[in-house]
Amino acid sequence: MRHLLIVTILGGVAFAQQSATVQSNTAHEAGAQVASNMEAPAVFLPDLPAMPHGNSTVIGGSIRNVDGVRDQLTLNIFGGRSMKVLYDARTQVYRDGQKVALRDLRTGEHVSVETMLDGTTVFARSIHMLSKMPEGESQGQVVNYDRSTGELEVRDSLSPEPIKLHISPSTQIVRPGQKSASGDLVAGTLISIQFQADNDGKNVASKIVVLATPGSAFVFTGRVVFLDLHTGLLALIDPRDDKRYEISFDPGRFPISRDVREGSTVTVTANFDGVRYAASALTVNPVNK
């Protein structure tokens, strides 16, 4: 009887230890499951998309409104015109050269914004808040130039309406490799502009580079990145400035050789008519081996 009692007691102790172990393991597994569930959202958060590709444009102005819910701000630029610009965690924000947080964006701040097209929207790659009046740069096509008032209207790729700038006697107007003057600012001329806002909020051009005037002839050399034989459009990247140029051609009057395809290196002579570059000659360059 005594031996039976000892066995029973020992069996009870073993059972209790086994139950405690099971409970401990169960609690540990439950805790691990809870921790796993708590960490799961971070694991499955989507990554931010890559930064948009393409050329950037610097726009100067002042912040009229900051919408932290939609992640967008409204800029007052170019003679009171406004533009909506999107931003997100990829956007870098600075105040007088020092990096700050997105939450530091405030209405009324003078800013210089590096923008890029992201589909059909304008995205801020970086935002520089400035203690002094902002500077900016733009590239576009002359719509009109009034010599009597010095007002220049330019259409750029980011603006649905022409922007207005003022040309002063100190504005430098140049054409690479040639002498240039304000007479080159005829409608249709492609230009690059650097400007700064004055104390009255007027955007004054400090430098204008004349890129092309209607009737000008150009020679492009580069790799074909797009070719549409039906619509008559060819695009190439010129390694001299690493820019993309779209050149049109008449498929009926200007047949493209079978040797021309995406990836080919070509030399194209084209005339700028104020709207587009139109090809007048095309040569396929030999491949260097």
Side-chain angles (χ1 to χ4, degrees):
M1 176 65 73
R2 182 178 179 183
H3 291 293
L4 178 61
L5 179 59
I6 293 173
V7 170
T8 302
I9 293 173
L10 292 176
V13 171
F15 177 77
Q17 290 177 342
Q18 183 178 7
S19 299
T21 302
V22 171
Q23 290 176 358
S24 175
N25 291 339
T26 302
H28 178 73
E29 292 174 358
Q33 183 64 40
V34 170
S36 176
N37 291 340
M38 292 177 66
E39 295 174 357
V43 173
F44 295 102
L45 283 176
D47 295 330
L48 286 171
M51 190 68 71
H53 296 289
N55 297 327
S56 61
T57 299
V58 179
I59 299 175
S62 61
I63 298 178
R64 190 176 78 182
N65 179 56
V66 179
D67 187 339
V69 176
R70 294 186 177 88
D71 287 343
Q72 69 178 20
L73 56 85
T74 303
L75 283 180
N76 279 339
I77 57 173
F78 304 125
R81 191 173 56 81
S82 64
M83 173 185 291
K84 292 189 182 299
V85 181
L86 300 182
Y87 62 85
D88 59 26
R90 296 169 295 172
T91 303
Q92 303 295 307
V93 183
Y94 303 86
R95 180 184 295 280
D96 293 329
Q98 299 297 317
K99 191 171 182 180
V100 296
L102 283 169
R103 63 176 178 273
D104 292 323
L105 293 172
R106 296 287 186 273
T107 300
E109 294 277 6
H110 293 298
V111 294
S112 178
V113 185
E114 182 185 6
T115 61
M116 305 182 73
L117 280 178
D118 187 5
T120 58
T121 61
V122 180
F123 176 76
R125 182 171 185 171
S126 64
I127 302 173
H128 295 259
M129 293 183 285
L130 309 169
S131 297
K132 61 180 183 178
M133 297 301 287
E135 297 179 349
E137 62 183 33
S138 180
Q139 183 171 315
Q141 191 168 30
V142 174
V143 176
N144 182 57
Y145 173 50
D146 189 334
R147 286 168 143 311
S148 61
T149 62
E151 186 175 86
L152 176 69
E153 292 186 46
V154 180
R155 179 178 292 107
D156 72 2
S157 60
L158 295 178
S159 174
E161 300 177 0
I163 62 176
K164 293 183 180 180
L165 298 160
H166 184 76
I167 295 179
S168 71
S170 61
T171 301
Q172 184 183 8
I173 304 175
V174 299
R175 177 185 286 183
Q178 303 178 48
K179 292 182 178 180
S180 184
S182 59
D184 288 327
L185 300 178
V186 297
T189 300
L190 294 178
I191 59 175
S192 176
I193 317 161
Q194 295 177 6
F195 63 89
Q196 184 172 10
D198 61 14
N199 293 330
D200 297 326
K202 184 185 299 181
N203 292 288
V204 180
S206 56
K207 183 178 181 180
I208 297 176
V209 179
V210 177
L211 304 175
T213 55
S216 301
F218 295 85
V219 177
F220 301 104
T221 298
R223 180 174 55 86
V224 177
V225 294
F226 177 80
L227 178 63
D228 190 331
L229 297 175
H230 299 288
T231 61
L233 184 64
L234 176 150
L236 60 80
I237 301 292
D238 196 317
R240 292 172 294 184
D241 55 12
D242 200 31
K243 290 185 178 179
R244 173 188 171 112
Y245 293 94
E246 294 187 350
I247 304 167
S248 64
F249 59 90
D250 185 340
R253 298 181 180 180
F254 192 83
I256 295 294
S257 166
R258 293 183 178 179
D259 296 329
V260 179
R261 60 180 65 90
E262 291 185 14
S264 301
T265 301
V266 299
T267 297
V268 184
T269 302
N271 295 313
F272 179 67
D273 61 9
V275 178
R276 59 185 180 176
Y277 295 103
S280 58
L282 185 149
T283 303
V284 181
N285 301 334
V287 179
N288 295 327
K289 296 183 179 179

